[in-house]
Amino acid sequence: MSNLKDLKVVITGASSGFGMEAAKLLVKEGCKVTLGARREDRLKELCSELGDSAAYSVTDVKKKEDLDALVKTSIDTFGGVDAIVNNAGIMPLSLIKSGRIEEWDDMIDVNIKGVLYGTNAVFNHFMNQGHGKIVNISSVAGKRVNPGTAVYSATKYAVDAISQGTRMESAGVIQVTCIFPGAFVTELAKSVKDEAVIEMFMKRGLGKIAQPAEKVALSIKYALEQDQGVSINDIIIRPTAQEM
Ligand code: NDP
């Protein structure tokens, strides 16, 4: 029997992009998914498409209590939680000289604190039950920095650090995977408002080589389908045409 059959998976940032594609794929594979994001209309629509195998809770990952409530929704609806995909993230890239402080604060809150809150919401539960899977979504920007990515990269390096720390502190119980995607087609780039960075990125032509979000969903599935004996620590997945 597949390791994914009846696996209870919590996914943050499930209203679009990787989170939404992962939810669809995982339900096809037999998982029970509990979806979190802020846009309730999107979550409701996705849940009605996925049927009894999906539940949702409106979640702002900046709020610890929302992540606790999301995990509780999985326990109340499906009888437990086996995995969390800390996927919610934003990417309002900007130059340091532009001083877009609110965007920096927002990225730090969503991309770092959101992952920490999600991890803490399941950590003791996983330790007590003796198993659990955590998939964190970093970025290739968490492996190298480009002009305009300083703050976003800092948050994504932090996701790597949180993944490593979680792996060490869970003493071989929790399977922790950190995924580092390159350019894939989602709504993420819409949050970039700094004109200088938009121009820079247009020149790099990433939009033209970006690959479908479903490919990243497949790597999330790969991390989750491993049995307890095996952990996939890191996955870098990028368009072949994207330099790295
Ligand atoms: P999308 O913009 O399509 O999805 C982002 C998701 O995060 C949405 O569901 C959004 O939902 C959710 N989100 C944003 N802010 C919050 C918040 N405060 N609380 C809860 N949910 C929130 O982009 P992607 O699918 O691309 O992004 C998913 C992850 O992948 C991110 O961490 C991103 O940094 C990372 N990534 C993406 C790459 C790409 O090329 N697409 C490359 C490398 C990494 P809502 O607005 O409804 O709350």
Side-chain angles (χ1 to χ4, degrees), residues 13-18 37-39 59-61 87-90 110 137-139 152 156 181-184 186-188:
S15 59
S16 63
F18 300 160
R38 293 163 305 171
R39 286 172 291 180
T59 307
D60 183 344
V61 298
N87 163 73
I90 55 172
V110 175
I137 308 299
S138 176
S139 167
Y152 180 67
K156 292 303 187 179
F184 289 84
T186 67
E187 297 176 12
L188 194 69

